[in-house]
């Protein structure tokens, strides 16, 4: 695979040269907690964008990999163990990290708040004459970020005793008190290192999914997963194993169907060399569990089938778009 662009940035240099531009007071509190005066941002951050890959003509589910793991929580960003590279999805907007400084705390904005150098990275990318796009001219162009520090964690669960009776996720964040934000934000020291796979899901559809929409979702995930594997092998070791942490990508504000979006990510993992796909469902895992049953029905282990046939079968099942949750 050849990327559209690939550039390394010194984390401390871009943090000093391109400080975060924040318009929301609560976001400022979080950034202040993670980046105190005199803070040193260590390491090199690698940014790359990748061309859409052509899907293979056939699909097969191998016996050895991938393995699938369900977690009824949200991302915790464990460091990569020896011999592995761990990636976490960013449920991206097509203009990467564009809204990080505003009042919303959806998955994308929360990831930037906990990894503050991502805010600086956006401005460094633009200043370098690169395009921070995960979709260009209607084509998916997933982006990879390797080596960014996670410097804080934000508790978004409902906790009336700490001033967040409805939690902090989504639009609840901006209305919370400053004291509630401070209580919810915990600095991580020493910082851990994360690798981010940013890709935008199709969104805001209605009625039944078309074959073209289904193929676009699968193609986006296939490209992103393949790029993460390629980058892992190139930057770390040809023998490294890869895990990807994901969830109900495109199923919040974008209104995607939870079962279908989970299922297509499972299929994409089967089409690539992903060793483990870790699915973070939150408290409601039913969409993922139905997707896993459907995978066993349509693509049993060891069976090969044509991609055209698979897409046709999925289309005839009549999956319908959901409704945006407004976050």
């Amino acid at each position: 695979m050849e990327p559209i662009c690939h550039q390394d940035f010194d984390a401390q240099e871009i943090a000093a040269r391109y400080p975060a531009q924040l318009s929301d007071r609560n976001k400022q509190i979080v950034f202040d907690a993670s980046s105190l005066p005199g803070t040193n941002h260590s390491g090199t951050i690698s940014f790359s964008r990748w061309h859409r890959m052509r899907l293979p003509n056939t699909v097969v589910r191998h016996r050895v990999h991938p393995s699938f793991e369900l977690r009824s929580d949200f991302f915790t960003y464990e460091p990569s163990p020896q011999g592995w590279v761990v990636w976490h999805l960013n449920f991206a907007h097509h203009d990467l990290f564009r809204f990080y400084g505003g009042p919303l705390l959806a998955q994308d904005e929360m990831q930037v708040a906990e990894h503050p150098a991502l805010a600086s990275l956006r401005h460094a990318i633009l200043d370098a004459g690169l395009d921070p796009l995960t979709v260009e001219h209607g084509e998916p162009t997933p982006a990879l970020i390797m080596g960014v520090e996670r410097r804080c964690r934000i508790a978004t669960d409902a906790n009336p005793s700490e001033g967040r009776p409805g939690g902090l996720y989504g639009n609840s964040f901006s209305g919370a008190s400053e004291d509630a934000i401070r209580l919810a934000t915990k600095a991580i020291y020493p910082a851990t290192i994360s690798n981010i796979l940013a890709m935008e899901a199709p969104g805001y559809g209605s009625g039944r999914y078309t074959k073209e929409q289904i193929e676009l979702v699968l193609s986006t995930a296939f490209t992103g997963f393949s790029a993460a594997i390629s980058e892992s092998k190139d930057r770390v070791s040809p023998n490294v194993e890869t895990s990807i942490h994901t969830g109900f990508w495109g199923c919040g504000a974008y209104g995607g169907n939870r079962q279908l979006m989970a299922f297509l990510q499972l299929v994409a993992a089967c089409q690539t060399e992903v060793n483990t796909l870790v699915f973070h469902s939150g408290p409601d895992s039913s969409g993922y569990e139905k997707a896993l049953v459907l995978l066993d029905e349509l693509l049993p282990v060891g069976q090969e089938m044509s991609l055209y046939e698979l897409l046709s079968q999925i289309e005839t099942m009549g999956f319908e778009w959901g409704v945006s949750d407004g976050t």
Side-chain angles (χ1 to χ4, degrees):
M1 294 181 66
E2 289 296 327
I4 298 169
C5 64
H6 201 301
Q7 186 158 331
D8 290 344
F9 297 89
D10 181 89
Q12 178 60 24
E13 181 180 324
I14 63 172
R17 186 172 179 182
Y18 308 102
Q21 299 178 14
L22 307 169
S23 59
D24 181 76
R25 65 179 175 87
N26 284 347
K27 286 282 178 68
Q28 187 66 62
I29 292 169
V30 173
F31 274 79
D32 287 347
S34 66
S35 302
L36 297 171
T39 294
N40 181 59
H41 295 260
S42 63
T44 298
I45 302 173
S46 173
F47 170 77
S48 57
R49 286 177 63 221
W50 299 78
H51 293 287
R52 179 178 184 173
M53 288 184 64
R54 184 177 180 274
L55 288 165
N57 293 326
T58 58
V59 186
V60 63
R61 183 177 170 191
H62 299 284
R63 296 185 183 278
V64 178
H65 65 77
S67 64
F68 301 120
E69 179 181 341
L70 172 64
R71 297 189 189 178
S72 57
D73 60 5
F74 301 104
F75 290 174
T76 52
Y77 298 99
E78 298 91 344
S80 299
Q82 186 70 30
W84 285 76
V85 176
V86 176
W87 295 88
H88 287 82
L89 247 66
N90 174 274
F91 299 0
H93 183 266
H94 65 266
D95 192 357
L96 188 59
F97 308 143
R98 178 178 178 181
F99 302 107
Y100 76 81
L104 183 67
L105 193 74
Q107 195 268 352
D108 177 304
E109 293 79 19
M110 182 171 173
Q111 195 170 73
V112 178
E114 293 188 335
H115 301 78
L118 292 177
S120 301
L121 178 65
R122 171 177 168 82
H123 302 293
I125 291 167
L126 289 166
D127 199 40
L130 305 176
D131 294 316
L133 302 177
T134 61
V135 174
E136 188 170 18
H137 306 305
E139 292 288 300
T141 57
L144 302 180
I145 298 107
M146 288 194 80
V148 63
E149 290 183 323
R150 184 179 185 229
R151 303 189 64 87
C152 74
R153 61 175 63 89
I154 306 169
T156 59
D157 61 316
N159 189 327
S161 67
E162 294 191 356
R164 51 179 196 274
L168 292 180
Y169 193 75
N171 293 309
S172 300
F173 179 81
S174 63
S177 70
E178 295 184 17
D179 285 343
I181 300 300
R182 290 190 181 93
L183 285 171
T185 306
K186 305 298 182 186
I188 297 174
Y189 184 82
T192 57
I193 301 298
S194 299
N195 304 308
I196 307 298
L197 163 55
M199 52 191 200
E200 184 177 47
Y204 309 109
S206 61
R208 292 175 56 158
Y209 278 80
T210 65
K211 184 184 290 186
E212 290 74 24
Q213 290 171 331
I214 295 166
E215 184 174 3
L216 178 59
V217 174
L218 181 59
S219 177
T220 301
F222 175 69
T223 301
F225 293 0
S226 298
I229 293 163
S230 176
E231 187 78 339
S232 300
K233 292 180 180 297
D234 183 60
R235 305 282 292 199
V236 179
S237 165
N239 299 317
V240 76
E241 298 193 75
T242 306
S243 68
I244 295 177
H245 289 243
T246 187
F248 289 114
W249 168 58
C251 298
Y254 283 22
N257 182 290
R258 289 164 72 90
Q259 181 183 354
L260 179 62
M261 294 300 288
F263 172 72
L264 292 173
Q265 291 183 83
L266 296 175
V267 174
C270 291
Q271 291 180 289
T272 65
E273 297 179 32
V274 173
N275 295 98
T276 302
L277 187 75
V278 183
F279 198 96
H280 297 258
S281 68
D284 182 5
S285 63
S286 59
Y288 171 82
E289 290 166 351
K290 291 176 181 177
L292 203 54
V293 170
L294 184 60
L295 184 71
D296 287 335
E297 292 175 353
L298 296 186
L299 196 64
V301 172
Q303 178 174 313
E304 184 177 43
M305 69 183 305
S306 77
L307 179 67
Y308 178 84
E309 180 184 351
L310 178 62
L311 293 174
S312 296
Q313 287 192 32
I314 298 169
E315 182 188 24
T316 60
M317 297 182 72
F319 286 102
E320 295 202 351
W321 284 85
V323 178
S324 170
D325 65 6
T327 57

